[in-house]
Amino acid sequence: MKDQFYLHFPTMPKGTAQQKGYNRKTGRYFKKSKLTNAEHEFKVALIPHRPLNPSDKPIKLTVLFAFDTKNKKLWGQPKPTRPDTENYLKLFKDCMTDCGFWKDDAQVWDERVVKTYAESASIMVRWEETDVSEMLEKIGNVDKAIK
């Protein structure tokens, strides 16, 4: 299976997988409101695009986060500021897992993430199931390049 889709937002959801708080009284961690709000916005946008059944195959994933800005000179330029790609992608992948795109986000073996500025907030998602032979071919090519 292979799919590509775009998600549009009034403004890019704010929050990363690292935004958790700690309650000293109970000794438990909790999700801060920015994180729960971002999760909710992502899931509402993702649900219409989810497959009928979660994939159990290795996944190749590309995600482009386009952050809205009024500065026309920045449109299409890289966004080298916060949020960092690892934590933002982690939150997004967790939401894709919860929505049933795949069984476990550990199945994502090949991922690419891009952050850029744009006129409006959107996310382009491209994901595809891959087979083991493709993975082994890529690993073989890496081994050859290292030697």
Side-chain angles (χ1 to χ4, degrees):
M1 171 173 223
K2 185 176 187 176
D3 195 13
Q4 178 174 319
F5 54 89
Y6 295 85
L7 308 174
H8 300 280
F9 301 92
T11 186
M12 191 62 77
K14 293 176 174 40
T16 67
Q18 298 298 321
Q19 290 182 319
K20 294 182 181 169
Y22 181 75
N23 185 322
R24 290 183 185 163
K25 289 182 182 178
T26 63
R28 293 181 182 212
Y29 289 94
F30 64 92
K31 293 179 180 179
K32 292 184 177 180
S33 61
K34 273 187 182 179
L35 176 57
T36 55
N37 291 343
E39 279 181 339
H40 176 74
E41 288 184 59
F42 284 152
K43 288 177 184 179
V44 165
L46 285 166
I47 285 173
H49 302 281
R50 69 182 171 187
L52 295 175
N53 298 307
S55 175
D56 59 354
K57 296 183 176 156
I59 302 293
K60 200 171 175 179
L61 177 67
T62 302
V63 181
L64 184 143
F65 294 105
F67 289 82
D68 55 308
T69 182
K70 292 179 182 172
N71 186 345
K72 292 182 180 182
K73 291 179 182 177
L74 291 177
W75 293 354
Q77 297 297 313
K79 182 181 188 307
T81 59
R82 290 179 186 238
D84 62 280
T85 56
E86 300 89 29
N87 294 326
Y88 209 64
L89 183 61
K90 175 67 177 146
L91 171 62
F92 192 73
K93 279 174 35 183
D94 287 345
C95 291
M96 288 185 78
T97 303
D98 292 345
C99 288
F101 283 82
W102 43 71
K103 293 183 178 182
D104 186 343
D105 61 6
Q107 292 168 237
V108 178
W109 70 278
D110 186 351
E111 66 185 23
R112 170 150 187 198
V113 61
V114 177
K115 289 187 319 180
T116 186
Y117 290 105
E119 180 177 6
S120 60
S122 61
I123 302 173
M124 186 276 301
V125 180
R126 181 182 302 138
W127 71 281
E128 64 181 287
E129 297 175 331
T130 55
D131 61 14
V132 176
S133 62
E134 182 181 345
M135 291 171 50
L136 293 174
E137 183 180 318
K138 284 195 180 265
I139 291 169
N141 290 340
V142 170
D143 286 344
K144 289 176 188 173
I146 292 173
K147 292 179 182 179

